[in-house]
Structure formats: C-alpha cells, structure tokens
Amino acid sequence: MSVVDTDARSAHSAGVERLLASYRVIPPNATVRLAKPTSNLFRARAKTSTKGLDVSGLGGVIAVDPENRTADVAGMCTYEDLVAATLPYGLAPLVVPQLKTITLGGAVTGLGIESTSFRNGLPHESVLEMDILTGTGDLVTASATEHQDLFRTFPNSYGTLGYSVRIKIELEPVKPFVELRHLRFNALTDLFAAMDRIVETGGHPDIAAGKPVDYLDGVVFSADESYLVLGYQTGTPGPVSDYTGQQIYYRSIQHPEGEKHDRLTIHDYLWRWDTDWFWCSRAFGAQDPLIRRFWPRRYRRSSVYWKLIGYDQRFNIADRIEKRNGRPPLERVVQDIEVPLSRAEEFVDWFLTNVPIEPIWLCPLRLRGDTTWPLYPIRAQSTYVNIGFWSSVPVGPTEGHTNRLIERKVSELDGHKSLYSDAYYSPEEFDELYGGETYKTVKKTYDPDSRLLDLYAKAVQRR
C-alpha cells in the first residue's frame, strides 16, 4: 500500500492552482518564465519586467511509495528535500546530482549526472510520468504512452517546452554506508582502461571479487596524477569520515600510490561534493584552514557559494581585482561535456595542454536502455565520460575564446556539452547537436504562440 500524505497532496494541488492562476494573468504578448528563488544555471538569464509564474507551492515531496519504490515529487523540489524523504525508507533516486539545491524538475528538463550514471543513466530515464504546464497554459500528463513526443523531447529542453509540475520517479534500495576505494593512476591511459573494465563488467577484478561497484567517478589533478573512486554499499556499521567540517573531501582522495580506503554514511556520500562545491570553494577562501575554522558549517554549501558568484557577476568583483593587479579580465569556463569513453583520454590530454584549469571531474555514463533522447542524442549501448571543469581563465582575443575552443574540440570528438552555462554555437551547429527539426515540431505543438523562450535563444543568445 502506498504511503500517502494527504496534507502534501492538498498542498500540491493548491500550488498547482496558484501556478495556473499566475499563468493566466501574464499578458498574451509577454514571455512566460518561472519566479525561481534559486538557480544552478551559469548562463545569462533573460531580463524581463513580467512577473514570473508562482511556484511557491511546488517545492515538496508529495508521496513516497516504498513498496513499489516510487515517489511523486513536485517539480521544484530540491534533491536535498527528496533524499531526506526517501532515505528513511532505505531508498534513493536512481541518480542524485551532486548539489543539494538542484531541483528534480531542473535535472529532468536539463541534465543531471552522478556516480550511479554508469549503471542508471540520467535522471530523466527513471521518470515514469510528468505533469507539465505547456506554453499553451494546459496541464498535460506525459509518459512513455501519453504525449510521447513531449515526454521524449522534454529532457534538455530547459523549460522551453513547459515546466514540470509533478514528476513520478523510480527509486532504488540503498544501504546505510558506502565503502570507498580511491585508486591512483600515474597515466591517463591506465585510468580510462580501468574505467572501461568496470563499466563493462560492473566490478573491479582486483578489488572485492564478485562484489559489484555501486558508484564510480574520478578526479584528474594532472596528467600523471588521477584517481578513480569506487563506492560499495554496505550495511556493516563502523567508523566514518566527516567532510562537512575541517577536512576537505577531494583532498582526501589524493595519496602517493596504489589504493586508499574510506567510509561515509550514504547521506554524506550523496552530498560529498556539495560542502566545497567540488573544489570551487577555494575561490572564496573556504579551504584556508584559518578561514574555514570560522566559516559556519551551515554556510559551507553550494547554494551559498552560488550566491557569492552572483554578487561577483553583479559587481564585477573578480575583474576589478584582476585589473588592480595589472592582469587581464577573466573568462568564465564552467562546463560539463560528454565524449565517448574511447575519445576521453584525447580530450583530457588536449584540455590539460590548452586550458589552465585543474582539477577536473570524470563521471562515466551509459543510457539505461535502448531509448534515445532527441535533444541530447548520445548513443545507446555506448559509454561516455562526463568531464566537468569549473573555473576561469584570462580572456582571449575574442569573446568566449576558450569556451569556443572547447566546443570545437568536443564536437570533433563526437561529444556534446550541457547547456547550463555559456554556449557560442551558430544556429546551424546548435540545430545539428540539439534536436533540430524534432525540437521545432514539438515546440509548435505545445507552445504554438512562443510564450516560452526558444531553446537556442535561451541557451546561446546574449541579452
């Protein structure tokens, strides 16, 4: 029998009514947008004087069904709140993106990835059905059998086909602890060969024979220092590490040679990257031992660093500092890209030679099944590697110089990049990479009057 929270369902219904009412008062010639209090986007957002849609009642978990391992979730619910609702049942979403304030709706209409993606794919692949507010103001339920065209093109549409109001997802069992094995590699060739074996076999032949790897990601510090992190779920109690205090998770991975062990609670494992926003907290001094000692623990989280980035963008703080020190302004290079595993070493070698950013994050990915998704057309039954890099470099001779170099290299290697940050593609390149005519056909069906921004306008064009 399902666990049904009547109050939560009533609150969600009331939230949907407020959303629809706020849509109806927006002038017909005005662009529709969400009134979101937070965002994990790093590209420019459209400037508009129109009041956004009221999503104030769409931020919670509606119900968890532990018997059928599903959850009904409001579209604006953060993964932090979702995980807090599912872990008491020994369950978790199949993919939990790294940052607490990423919303389920954001991960589905954009792209999310994490260390289960080598076996569970992307967040939208565990979606059973969605209630979507379309550009026409209609609320439709999309699934593999209803409104199939919208269901398949919604991932990577970034709110340009509609907004998810309710999402029903699959959950999977999890154990209370995660044992970690940090494997060091002195050559990228060896790291990617080991990654390939683990993805193909589900395990590592030299470690815990017969025991499947539950989590897999990696970090590259340099061409001769890189790591794979293997995670194994376990119910066995024991001492665990804590990286929400003075210790820093990504630094714990490093060691001279061979293999290093660690243990975390499942909760702390899922949020291991959030405390220091991977390693980006160092830009704010939060990794300096003295500053860290006085930086309140509750403020060591990605949402706080994101607000600091917002202040920097608003007041050009970093560029003013660079100018004062006689240096050129900075170009933001904040990207996640995917390339086939067979081309990943080539990309990383090129990146380390041409882009002065380190460390970089690695996360292998395979779609769960044979279904492909037209707005992000990576191949089924193929392994890709997500490569994440988040920093800035001195500006080049043209706007977005380094980002443009990266885009060209990714396309050359038959890859794609996520659209949460700056993009510089021409309309023709963009159509070829991100759905083209398929997207335009669905857009005309569910947003015939263009009440929502076009994907190219939202992801690429500057305002």
Side-chain angles (χ1 to χ4, degrees):
M1 182 177 179
S2 298
V3 175
V4 179
D5 187 331
T6 303
D7 290 340
R9 290 195 181 277
S10 297
H12 180 259
S13 296
V16 171
E17 289 304 315
R18 287 198 297 274
L19 175 74
L20 295 174
S22 67
Y23 178 95
R24 289 191 288 267
V25 300
I26 295 176
N29 60 345
T31 299
V32 177
R33 65 178 183 85
L34 294 180
K36 292 180 62 176
T38 63
S39 173
N40 284 283
L41 297 180
F42 278 85
R43 49 178 159 74
R45 301 180 71 182
K47 294 180 175 65
T48 176
S49 59
T50 306
K51 187 177 181 180
L53 295 175
D54 183 351
V55 296
S56 59
L58 301 176
V61 177
I62 304 166
V64 177
D65 182 348
E67 182 177 345
N68 293 305
R69 296 177 183 170
T70 63
D72 273 300
V73 186
M76 294 292 296
C77 179
T78 66
Y79 273 93
E80 181 176 24
D81 291 340
L82 176 54
V83 165
T86 63
L87 282 186
Y89 299 103
L91 299 170
L94 272 63
V95 179
V96 179
Q98 313 88 346
L99 307 180
K100 292 178 177 179
T101 56
I102 293 175
T103 63
L104 181 59
V108 171
T109 195
L111 285 178
I113 192 168
E114 238 296 343
S115 57
T116 58
S117 289
F118 78 102
R119 58 184 178 84
N120 287 340
L122 298 167
H124 60 262
E125 294 188 89
S126 60
V127 172
L128 300 173
E129 64 181 24
M130 296 178 278
D131 292 341
I132 298 171
L133 174 66
T134 68
T136 61
D138 297 317
L139 199 61
V140 303
T141 299
S143 69
T145 57
E146 295 182 87
H147 295 282
Q148 297 167 319
D149 52 350
L150 181 60
F151 185 74
R152 292 191 62 238
T153 53
F154 195 75
N156 213 48
S157 64
Y158 284 90
T160 65
L161 297 177
Y163 301 114
S164 56
V165 173
R166 178 190 63 89
I167 306 174
K168 185 175 184 178
I169 61 168
E170 299 174 67
L171 304 172
E172 69 174 4
V174 291
K175 295 178 181 179
F177 304 100
V178 179
E179 295 177 352
L180 299 178
R181 310 288 179 92
H182 306 314
L183 307 184
R184 174 167 175 153
F185 297 88
N186 299 323
L188 291 169
T189 298
D190 297 335
L191 178 142
F192 286 113
M195 178 186 288
D196 192 20
R197 288 195 300 271
I198 294 168
V199 172
E200 289 296 327
T201 65
H204 192 289
D206 300 325
I207 301 174
K211 189 175 182 180
V213 175
D214 296 304
Y215 306 100
L216 177 64
D217 65 351
V219 179
V220 176
F221 290 90
S222 66
D224 56 7
E225 183 189 2
S226 58
Y227 300 85
L228 288 180
V229 179
L230 284 59
Y232 300 86
Q233 293 184 27
T234 177
T236 305
V240 293
S241 298
D242 178 8
Y243 297 106
T244 64
Q246 295 305 299
Q247 302 304 309
I248 298 169
Y249 173 72
Y250 83 99
R251 288 301 183 192
S252 76
I253 295 171
Q254 294 182 276
H255 60 276
E257 293 293 339
E259 176 185 344
K260 180 181 178 182
H261 295 218
D262 201 353
R263 271 173 62 96
L264 294 172
T265 66
I266 180 63
H267 175 275
D268 285 358
Y269 176 80
L270 293 176
W271 302 128
R272 69 203 183 282
W273 291 122
D274 189 86
T275 300
D276 283 287
W277 210 6
F278 283 83
W279 31 79
C280 298
S281 69
R282 65 186 177 184
F284 311 105
Q287 295 181 27
D288 180 287
L290 181 60
I291 295 175
R292 195 176 185 89
R293 189 172 299 119
F294 293 100
W295 192 305
R297 185 185 294 242
R298 67 183 182 279
Y299 294 139
R300 289 197 294 267
R301 51 182 287 144
S302 61
S303 56
V304 171
Y305 307 133
W306 197 95
K307 289 178 181 178
L308 295 176
I309 287 286
Y311 292 133
D312 172 64
Q313 292 174 352
R314 183 178 177 184
F315 299 109
N316 296 317
I317 297 170
D319 283 348
R320 289 181 179 181
I321 294 172
E322 294 300 300
K323 184 177 180 180
R324 184 177 299 170
N325 288 286
R327 295 189 293 262
L330 298 172
E331 175 188 350
R332 182 176 60 195
V333 181
V334 177
Q335 305 286 354
D336 279 77
I337 63 98
E338 277 92 33
V339 294
L341 191 151
S342 60
R343 312 299 297 273
E345 182 183 352
E346 183 179 351
F347 178 84
V348 173
D349 276 334
W350 174 88
F351 187 90
L352 292 174
T353 301
N354 292 278
V355 184
I357 292 176
E358 55 75 29
I360 58 179
W361 185 57
L362 307 177
C363 188
L365 156 71
R366 285 177 71 96
L367 295 179
R368 284 181 73 193
D370 294 326
T371 299
T372 55
W373 307 86
L375 269 61
Y376 207 74
I378 61 176
R379 296 185 299 273
Q381 307 301 323
S382 299
T383 303
Y384 290 76
V385 182
N386 175 278
I387 303 169
F389 36 91
W390 316 290
S391 190
S392 57
V393 300
V395 295
T398 58
E399 181 191 5
H401 173 73
T402 298
N403 282 284
R404 293 174 193 270
L405 289 177
I406 292 168
E407 286 179 354
R408 287 198 292 271
K409 190 64 178 181
V410 171
S411 294
E412 176 190 322
L413 299 179
D414 194 26
H416 283 74
K417 80 170 193 176
S418 299
L419 297 175
Y420 69 83
S421 190
D422 300 312
Y424 295 87
Y425 298 109
S426 70
E428 295 74 22
E429 291 172 319
F430 192 83
D431 280 354
E432 184 177 349
L433 291 169
Y434 298 101
E437 290 303 317
T438 299
Y439 170 76
K440 293 174 183 176
T441 299
V442 178
K443 179 75 168 171
K444 289 176 183 177
T445 301
Y446 294 96
D447 186 24
D449 298 322
S450 297
R451 300 295 306 279
L452 308 172
L453 277 178
D454 171 77
L455 184 57
Y456 183 76
K458 189 166 188 177
V460 181
Q461 292 176 337
R462 300 292 182 268
R463 275 158 214 91

